[in-house]
Amino acid sequence: AERAASVSQRGGGRGCVHMADANLVAEVSSALHEVLAPTTPPERRQALQQALQQERSREGAGACYLAVLAESSDEALLWFALAVHEAALLRAADTSGGTAERQQLRAVLLGMLFGPRYETLPPSARGKAVSLLARLVVATWPAEDPTLLPSLLELLAAPGAARPCTQVIARAAAVLAALADELAPGRQRGLAAHQAALQQAFAATLPSVFGTLAAALRAEAAAGGGGGGRLGPA
């Protein structure tokens, strides 16, 4: 189980820097593909899965995988990188990343979902990125990052040639739907202590959110834009 041990050993520190990042990511990518290979023996697969689980849960691991989210086209590695950040957000006591790293993650996720990179992403990564962005909002909005919802509304309300196409409107709607799901009553998460305040803050934006979505869709329809009527991240 040399590769499993290597993943655990390389990820043993609190953070990642420079070449160590690339080496660790290469080891993780190799381990992921070996786990997915049908010819991998069960004992070997179990050892690799345990090592990957340890890496996914490692405090401070997120910094190693920001570049993966921004650049990689490897579906398994993208999913793992998103899962690493998701695990960190769900650990209420994990403050290892800090505000700067969460701001970087927000920028990367917005680029994935609303930039040219979206067209190259596998469908699984698109859906996972929507879910992660919603969880990031729950973790940082409105106290740490009050700008995401206004940014989405500004995007959707852009006039004329700057107005997004139906597909981009659908992605924004998918993020908002995921956020509403994250804030649903009874949803279990480490951030439940301020759930009520978040629910109230989000509810206060709903008239503006739905009004802007409706206006954007009407404008797109009037302009004869394509893209169909499906509101989702695909």
Side-chain angles (χ1 to χ4, degrees), residues 66 69 79 92 119 122 230:
L66 284 170
L69 297 181
W79 180 271
E119 301 302 329
R230 180 178 183 272

Side-chain angles (χ1 to χ4, degrees), residues 14 53-62 83-97 101-102 139 189-191:
R14 281 183 59 98
Q53 176 64 26
Q54 290 176 0
E55 173 62 9
R56 187 183 74 89
S57 303
R58 178 172 61 85
E59 184 178 346
V84 166
H85 285 284
E86 180 181 57
L89 289 176
L90 291 175
R91 289 194 299 268
D94 186 356
T95 58
S96 57
E101 185 177 309
R102 288 191 292 272
R189 74 173 74 77
L191 295 166

Side-chain angles (χ1 to χ4, degrees), residues 130-212:
V130 165
S131 174
L132 181 58
L133 183 56
R135 287 183 174 173
L136 183 63
V137 173
V138 171
T140 63
W141 179 77
E144 184 177 312
D145 183 2
T147 63
L148 179 58
L149 284 177
S151 295
L152 288 175
L153 294 175
E154 182 178 349
L155 170 72
L156 296 175
R163 185 177 58 248
C165 64
T166 303
Q167 291 90 340
V168 173
I169 295 171
R171 294 172 214 165
V175 173
L176 295 170
L179 179 56
D181 183 62
E182 283 294 308
L183 295 175
R187 183 70 182 258
Q188 297 298 311
R189 74 173 74 77
L191 295 166
H194 67 284
Q195 180 176 346
L198 281 165
Q199 287 171 334
Q200 292 175 3
F202 180 64
T205 71
L206 289 180
S208 179
V209 166
F210 288 117
T212 303

